Amino acid sequence: MAQAWAASDVRGVRLWRAPDNTRLVFDLSGPVQHNVFTLAAPDRIVIDVSNAALKTSIEQLPLKNTPITGMRAAQRTADELRLVIDLSAEVTPKSFTLDPNQEYGHRLVVDLFDKGSDVDTPSVPATVTPSVPAAPVAPTLPATKRPTSPSARRDIVIAIDAGHGGEDPGALGPGNAREKDVVLAIAKRLQTQINAEKGYRAELTRTGDYFIPLRKRTEIARKKGADLFVSIHADAAPRSVAYGASVYALSDRGATSETARWLADTENQSDLIGGVGNVSLDDKDRMLAGVLLDLSMTATLSSSLDVGQRVLRNMGRIAPLHKDRVEQAGFMVLKSPDIPSILVETGFISNPGEANKLRSANHQQALARSIHTGIRQFFQQSPPPGTYIAWLRDSGKVSIGMREHTVRSGESLALIAQRYQVTLDSLRRANKLDSNIIKIGQTLTIPASTLASQQ
Ligand SMILES: [Zn+2]
């Protein structure tokens, strides 16, 4: 039924709950104009959508843990739809429309920010709310970075960033494999492993299935006082045979290869998908160019490459590598000028075999362990001053850091102890072994060899 004015249908409604906001996404058959306003006593949000008709049910939304208590719709005129959202608490709405992408058609997005969330001091340069002065993106750093308590032996803080989320599924693979799910699972496993180690603390930028703009991710890392930012992703390629893991650090002149550039574009599109669509990437790049002149960026980048190489080497022990050295690209999340940052592509989700592996708990655990080992090796070599790990090193408690060893044919526990210059006892303790029996393929933790044990 074609009509002269081509009304758009609201074909679906999706809802995502984030820690400080609730996102509603209305899937549309075409472009619409809309107006959002709030009413108090009782708190309600009214969304008027012109040139639209509701063609879906709005009763099945998962409203648990949201301030939304119900949603009603009325066709005010033949072509004006009114949606009323009943609320249990006051919220601040932000709304925008999105054009179609590969994944979705036209959308109307309404974000309801909880009272007390930082919607009024946006962390992205203030293009969404032009009246708010732009937050400095880069050069503010050391003063706010961490509490001033030099005597405390603080933990080394690792920010783990699971890519994509919510509205943005990331790369898609066979069997309904979605990057956003796989990378969150790996991120959580990595967090658990890191938190089990004394002297380290891991923080996730996102803890569930919701969207965070790219710039906000680095912002969260900075607020948590991160010493390292690790973004976890899974690749997709037009050719399903592409395979292997990669590690990226920032390049100062954009991508170093066509593949890297293509990837950088894909990952950066996240912000556009996520709704800060009118943020100009050009402006940020120009700002970044200034930051790059700073010597601190050079030091940060060299640390990023160092930790990236260690992570890559360890991943190479459990998975095929796409490239055997750290690649460099202009990923937005790597642009913190003061926090060493890497982006780990854990494999190609577009490759049926790798998609399967990426969804298996065992492989996720192994990937997390290899990333963890690389991170540990880096910080044992260069612990930030004031940390417990730096204190261990400086007080001679650790001469060589903890390592892992995979048992090969013909090796005995005594031989391994000798090779790593640790006592048989400490090796057994570190692995909770009550005999000297080991199996081929078993992964042993090699304890740090202290000066005392070498005398
Ligand atoms: Zn990704």
Side-chain angles (χ1 to χ4, degrees):
M1 179 176 71
Q3 301 200 18
W5 36 272
S8 297
D9 294 337
V10 179
R11 290 175 165 169
V13 188
R14 291 172 286 141
L15 180 145
W16 314 97
R17 178 61 195 170
D20 66 348
N21 71 80
T22 308
R23 167 165 287 187
L24 284 163
V25 180
F26 298 91
D27 291 301
L28 308 164
S29 64
V32 295
Q33 294 197 317
H34 76 286
N35 184 34
V36 174
F37 56 95
T38 57
L39 295 172
D43 288 311
R44 280 154 294 164
I45 300 279
V46 178
I47 308 166
D48 283 335
V49 191
S50 329
N51 199 23
L54 187 69
K55 294 286 167 66
T56 184
S57 162
I58 53 173
E59 269 138 41
Q60 307 299 324
L61 292 172
L63 302 180
K64 201 161 168 269
N65 299 324
T66 76
I68 301 175
T69 56
M71 205 187 323
R72 295 169 279 145
Q75 204 71 38
R76 293 186 74 209
T77 66
D79 62 351
E80 179 157 334
L81 173 67
R82 170 164 285 187
L83 295 156
V84 179
I85 300 171
D86 297 308
L87 299 162
S88 59
E90 197 184 324
V91 298
T92 306
K94 300 260 173 194
S95 63
F96 50 90
T97 54
L98 291 171
D99 291 335
N101 61 17
Q102 302 114 309
E103 194 63 24
Y104 298 110
H106 287 276
R107 285 149 295 160
L108 165 63
V109 180
V110 180
D111 287 334
L112 307 175
F113 286 90
D114 300 346
K115 214 167 180 208
S117 67
D118 58 357
V119 61
D120 293 326
T121 52
S123 53
V124 291
T127 48
V128 177
T129 315
S131 59
V132 179
V137 169
T140 42
L141 318 175
T144 54
K145 197 177 170 188
R146 56 184 93 269
T148 48
S149 177
S151 61
R153 293 167 199 154
R154 69 170 182 86
D155 288 339
I156 290 174
V157 180
I158 316 293
I160 308 170
D161 174 53
H164 312 277
E167 167 74 351
D168 169 18
L172 301 171
N176 206 25
R178 298 184 299 187
E179 180 183 1
K180 66 172 185 176
D181 301 328
V182 163
V183 298
L184 182 62
I186 296 169
K188 285 182 169 173
R189 290 176 191 279
L190 179 58
Q191 182 191 33
T192 303
Q193 290 179 16
I194 289 175
N195 282 343
E197 186 162 354
K198 186 169 165 56
Y200 292 87
R201 192 175 81 244
E203 301 274 1
L204 297 175
T205 57
R206 80 170 164 97
T207 55
D209 186 14
Y210 51 86
F211 183 80
I212 311 176
L214 296 174
R215 184 61 71 184
K216 179 87 180 173
R217 293 169 188 260
T218 54
E219 193 83 10
I220 291 170
R222 172 155 300 110
K223 278 195 187 135
K224 306 272 191 195
D227 296 289
L228 175 69
F229 180 89
V230 182
S231 194
I232 314 272
H233 287 258
D235 261 329
R239 291 173 352 116
S240 68
V241 291
Y243 70 95
S246 337
V247 175
Y248 285 84
L250 182 64
S251 76
D252 49 359
R253 279 185 307 235
T256 50
S257 74
E258 275 305 311
T259 306
R261 194 170 306 133
W262 184 81
L263 266 167
D265 285 343
T266 310
E267 302 295 6
N268 289 343
Q269 276 168 12
S270 268
D271 253 350
L272 304 173
I273 295 169
V276 282
N278 45 358
V279 171
S280 156
L281 298 181
D282 285 344
D283 282 348
K284 283 192 195 162
D285 283 344
R286 236 176 293 128
M287 206 170 323
L288 180 75
V291 172
L292 286 169
L293 295 173
D294 192 327
L295 283 177
S296 89
M297 184 76 218
T298 311
T300 301
L301 184 54
S302 121
S303 294
S304 303
L305 290 167
D306 185 353
V307 68
Q309 193 58 49
R310 290 166 196 268
V311 166
L312 192 67
R313 202 183 308 132
N314 282 285
M315 286 177 75
R317 293 162 54 185
I318 58 128
L321 297 180
H322 191 60
K323 293 266 173 66
D324 62 359
R325 58 175 191 83
V326 176
E327 295 175 80
Q328 292 183 257
F331 291 130
M332 190 65 69
V333 290
L334 300 181
K335 291 186 177 180
S336 291
D338 59 336
I339 305 173
S341 303
I342 56 172
L343 188 147
V344 178
E345 296 279 6
T346 50
F348 279 83
I349 205 165
S350 50
N351 176 307
E354 291 208 331
N356 265 340
K357 278 171 72 186
L358 285 169
R359 286 196 292 181
S360 89
N362 276 347
H363 190 64
Q364 288 174 357
Q365 194 69 11
L367 280 168
R369 191 181 302 118
S370 64
I371 296 167
H372 181 195
T373 304
I375 291 171
R376 181 199 297 124
Q377 289 169 348
F378 170 74
F379 281 115
Q380 280 176 344
Q381 200 71 48
S382 4
T387 59
Y388 173 77
I389 304 299
W391 172 80
L392 273 187
R393 186 197 56 179
D394 296 345
S395 57
K397 295 253 185 310
V398 174
S399 56
I400 303 165
M402 196 155 56
R403 293 138 294 173
E404 281 181 349
H405 177 88
T406 304
V407 178
R408 280 185 294 244
S409 163
E411 289 180 333
S412 69
L413 201 61
L415 184 92
I416 294 166
Q418 192 186 21
R419 177 176 316 154
Y420 287 96
Q421 297 194 308
V422 297
T423 63
L424 192 54
D425 248 17
S426 67
L427 186 55
R428 280 169 54 166
R429 262 201 314 277
N431 294 281
K432 300 190 172 69
L433 300 173
D434 36 32
S435 76
N436 288 350
I437 298 167
I438 49 176
K439 282 182 250 158
I440 293 168
Q442 184 176 356
T443 301
L444 295 174
T445 299
I446 309 295
S449 51
T450 66
L451 296 176
S453 73
Q454 290 174 353
Q455 281 162 0

